Amino acid sequence: MVTMFGGASIVLCFFSFFLLLSPIAFSEKCNPQDKRVLLRIKKELNNPYLLASWDPQTDCCGWYCVKCDLITHRITALIMQSSVPDTNLSGTIPPSVGDLPYLENLEFHKLPRLKGPIQPTIAKLTKLKYLFIEYTNVSGPIPPFLAQLKNLQLLHLSTNNLSGPIPSSLSQLPNLESLHLDRNKLTGPIPESFGSFKKPGPDIILSHNQLSGPIPASLGQIDPERIDLSRNKLEGDASVLFGSQKRTQILDVSRNLLSFDFFKVDFPKQSLIWLDINHNKIYGKIPVTLTKVENLQQFNVSYNKLSGEIPQGGTGRLQDRFDVYAYLHNKGLCGPPLPKCK
């Protein structure tokens, strides 16, 4: 994953290395208080090799993983990510991260030895726009205090060991554009409050968890571009997620326990590129309106209870754009690419 400011961090790293080799003296730009906080963070993480460039004798605006504002020189980004799986960075999220008041971007990525809860001091980072905690062993609940970070635009907590329910208070984040909580151990329902996200609503990625119960009808009130609820234990009707006037690009509800009449739903004709409903209990016929979806690239309705003839023709060309595996194991589907209808 390439995150925002990641490229700038690498450039700053090489710039710092050049300065260390250069005989030309340079003035310290880094804010002294921010520098003290960074050195505390290094200590709280047991002085890992990843932070070897964090030398108190050098300007911290040139340290690896750090980005400073070009005018104020306050720390605005702390991006800790490892390109090797066996990094020696270990411990919990450092409490001192909450003492960087100008931080806009905080990331812990591909750090398998990072564990413990999401640090409560993160609630102090009122300017934070981007929070990424991904591919770690961070555990415990998703804390409700994240709803206090009103400037958050991206909240990505994927591929950790987080457990418990999804806090309903996350819907109070007025600027949220993307919510990724996938590949954890989350349980309970999708909060009804998610229908009250500021329109059009953030991308909602909740796949690979243990979520259960019905999909809230309130989700029909928002219009995200991407919804992925796959590989959970969700039940009942998902038709509120469909609609011809929506701007949906990706809709994946596969591998759940959903049951509704597929023939009664409609689809955006131009934006939809990915539709996956496989491994559910969805019944009815495949809607003819699907043949009018212009840019469908991924389509899978296998392992359901669908019946009738696969619609032919149209710009969607369901009969020859997608192979037999997209339709297998249904109650009575027939027609190309499946055998002819009797």
Side-chain angles (χ1 to χ4, degrees), residues 281-302:
K281 301 176 182 179
I282 300 168
Y283 56 90
K285 297 180 178 181
I286 295 179
V288 177
T289 51
L290 258 178
T291 64
K292 299 179 181 179
V293 176
E294 299 176 1
N295 301 304
L296 199 59
Q297 299 172 18
Q298 169 68 22
F299 178 67
N300 193 338
V301 297
S302 64

Side-chain angles (χ1 to χ4, degrees), residues 156-171:
H156 290 193
L157 306 177
S158 305
T159 318
N160 299 295
N161 281 315
L162 298 170
S163 58
I166 299 174
S168 60
S169 57
L170 294 182
S171 63

Side-chain angles (χ1 to χ4, degrees), residues 117-168:
I118 295 178
Q119 183 54 244
T121 57
I122 290 176
K124 295 159 47 176
L125 301 174
T126 57
K127 296 183 183 295
L128 202 63
K129 296 179 180 178
Y130 316 108
L131 177 59
F132 298 86
I133 304 173
E134 299 181 305
Y135 295 92
T136 76
N137 272 303
V138 168
S139 59
I142 295 175
F145 67 69
L146 293 177
Q148 301 173 30
L149 303 174
K150 301 301 184 183
N151 288 307
L152 266 188
Q153 296 176 20
L154 307 181
L155 177 56
H156 290 193
L157 306 177
S158 305
T159 318
N160 299 295
N161 281 315
L162 298 170
S163 58
I166 299 174
S168 60

Side-chain angles (χ1 to χ4, degrees), residues 1-211:
M1 168 183 169
V2 178
T3 59
M4 207 165 300
F5 302 115
S9 297
I10 294 171
V11 171
L12 286 168
C13 177
F14 284 112
F15 180 65
S16 172
F17 182 69
F18 169 78
L19 288 175
L20 287 172
L21 297 178
S22 173
I24 302 174
F26 63 94
S27 60
E28 178 91 21
K29 293 181 178 180
C30 178
N31 178 272
Q33 176 59 25
D34 286 353
K35 187 172 188 176
R36 286 191 290 269
V37 171
L38 290 174
L39 292 172
R40 284 206 312 269
I41 289 173
K42 181 180 181 181
K43 185 177 180 180
E44 290 166 355
L45 289 171
N46 304 306
N47 299 306
Y49 177 75
L50 184 69
L51 306 182
S53 70
W54 290 22
D55 181 348
Q57 302 304 315
T58 60
D59 185 356
C60 73
C61 285
W63 291 356
Y64 183 62
C65 306
V66 174
K67 185 183 189 317
C68 293
D69 183 271
L70 295 176
I71 298 175
T72 66
H73 308 299
R74 300 304 299 260
I75 305 297
T76 58
L78 184 60
I79 303 174
M80 295 194 181
Q81 55 183 348
S82 177
S83 58
V84 295
D86 193 28
T87 176
N88 70 336
L89 188 151
S90 62
T92 60
I93 295 175
S96 294
V97 296
D99 296 325
L100 294 170
Y102 291 86
L103 209 59
E104 297 180 1
N105 187 13
L106 177 61
E107 176 176 348
F108 298 94
H109 184 67
K110 288 188 177 179
L111 301 171
R113 298 185 185 183
L114 191 68
K115 56 187 179 180
I118 295 178
Q119 183 54 244
T121 57
I122 290 176
K124 295 159 47 176
L125 301 174
T126 57
K127 296 183 183 295
L128 202 63
K129 296 179 180 178
Y130 316 108
L131 177 59
F132 298 86
I133 304 173
E134 299 181 305
Y135 295 92
T136 76
N137 272 303
V138 168
S139 59
I142 295 175
F145 67 69
L146 293 177
Q148 301 173 30
L149 303 174
K150 301 301 184 183
N151 288 307
L152 266 188
Q153 296 176 20
L154 307 181
L155 177 56
H156 290 193
L157 306 177
S158 305
T159 318
N160 299 295
N161 281 315
L162 298 170
S163 58
I166 299 174
S168 60
S169 57
L170 294 182
S171 63
Q172 299 170 17
L173 293 168
N175 297 300
L176 198 63
E177 298 174 2
S178 180
L179 177 65
H180 288 209
L181 306 179
D182 52 300
R183 298 178 187 273
N184 283 289
K185 299 175 182 177
L186 301 176
T187 55
I190 298 173
E192 183 78 28
S193 65
F194 274 22
S196 61
F197 272 115
K198 183 179 178 182
K199 291 180 176 58
D203 291 346
I204 297 177
I205 312 298
L206 307 179
S207 67
H208 296 79
N209 279 291
Q210 300 167 29
L211 300 174

Side-chain angles (χ1 to χ4, degrees), residues 200 220 222-224 240-249 265-272:
I222 58 174
D223 188 16
V240 295
L241 304 178
F242 296 84
S244 61
Q245 301 304 311
K246 289 184 176 290
R247 59 184 195 133
T248 313
Q249 296 179 7
V265 300
D266 205 350
F267 312 90
K269 305 300 185 295
Q270 295 182 327
S271 63
L272 189 65

